[in-house]
Amino acid sequence: MARILAIDLGTKRTGIAVTDPLQITANPLETIDTAQLIPFLKTYFTQEEVDTLVLGLPIRLNGQDNEMTPKVRSLKSELERVFPEKKTVLIDERFTSKMAMQSMIAMGSKKKDRKEKAGNLDKVSAAIILQSYLERQ
């Protein structure tokens, strides 16, 4: 079975998470420079079979778009163009960064480590987005 890959798009960094091959668990994979996302995915797809891409869609609490929403929608269009064989899905990502931070605190990360390892927050957020998608399936 192919994996599912989640993307938490940021202006500078992007978090990536993937499922196991049986699509049971969501695991943080990598945090990359946003400008390198498409090349990273092209390389990753040569190494692993992925059939679905899940993008976290940032929206405000009132349901309105925020400043990142158009960028995520644009990325969705680009992914559909570059990888037409992959299913691309948007999923509400409200509170994922806060949940990721709480998870890191619960796992015992010190405040200094959380600040220095901001990239961890991005990939943990992507894993939360992916887990949310899996639970809805």
Side-chain angles (χ1 to χ4, degrees), residues 102-121:
Q102 289 172 343
S103 294
M104 291 176 71
I105 291 168
M107 291 186 306
S109 292
K110 295 178 182 165
K111 188 173 185 177
K112 180 182 174 190
D113 292 337
R114 291 192 304 270
K115 284 184 180 180
E116 290 175 1
K117 298 179 181 176
N120 286 339
L121 187 65

Side-chain angles (χ1 to χ4, degrees), residues 19-135:
T19 62
D20 61 294
L22 297 176
Q23 299 182 356
I24 297 171
T25 61
N27 305 296
L29 176 66
E30 191 80 46
T31 298
I32 60 168
D33 179 37
T34 297
Q36 296 302 311
L37 178 60
I38 298 298
F40 172 86
L41 293 175
K42 286 179 179 179
T43 301
Y44 187 78
F45 295 158
T46 65
Q47 300 164 0
E48 297 288 344
E49 185 180 350
V50 173
D51 64 4
T52 303
L53 304 174
V54 178
L55 295 172
L57 182 65
I59 49 178
R60 292 191 170 98
L61 291 177
N62 65 5
Q64 299 291 326
D65 289 358
N66 71 17
E67 61 280 349
M68 280 299 292
T69 309
K71 294 174 184 173
V72 171
R73 291 186 194 282
S74 176
L75 175 61
K76 181 180 188 284
S77 296
E78 184 178 3
L79 292 171
E80 290 171 335
R81 181 183 56 78
V82 176
F83 307 110
E85 71 284 0
K86 312 246 184 263
K87 177 180 173 184
T88 305
V89 180
L90 296 173
I91 186 166
D92 184 347
E93 70 162 27
R94 283 181 275 191
F95 303 114
T96 55
S97 292
K98 183 174 269 192
M99 291 168 60
M101 181 63 77
Q102 289 172 343
S103 294
M104 291 176 71
I105 291 168
M107 291 186 306
S109 292
K110 295 178 182 165
K111 188 173 185 177
K112 180 182 174 190
D113 292 337
R114 291 192 304 270
K115 284 184 180 180
E116 290 175 1
K117 298 179 181 176
N120 286 339
L121 187 65
D122 298 319
K123 64 185 177 184
V124 171
S125 292
I128 291 170
I129 291 165
L130 184 51
Q131 189 62 46
S132 176
Y133 174 79
L134 291 174
E135 289 170 1

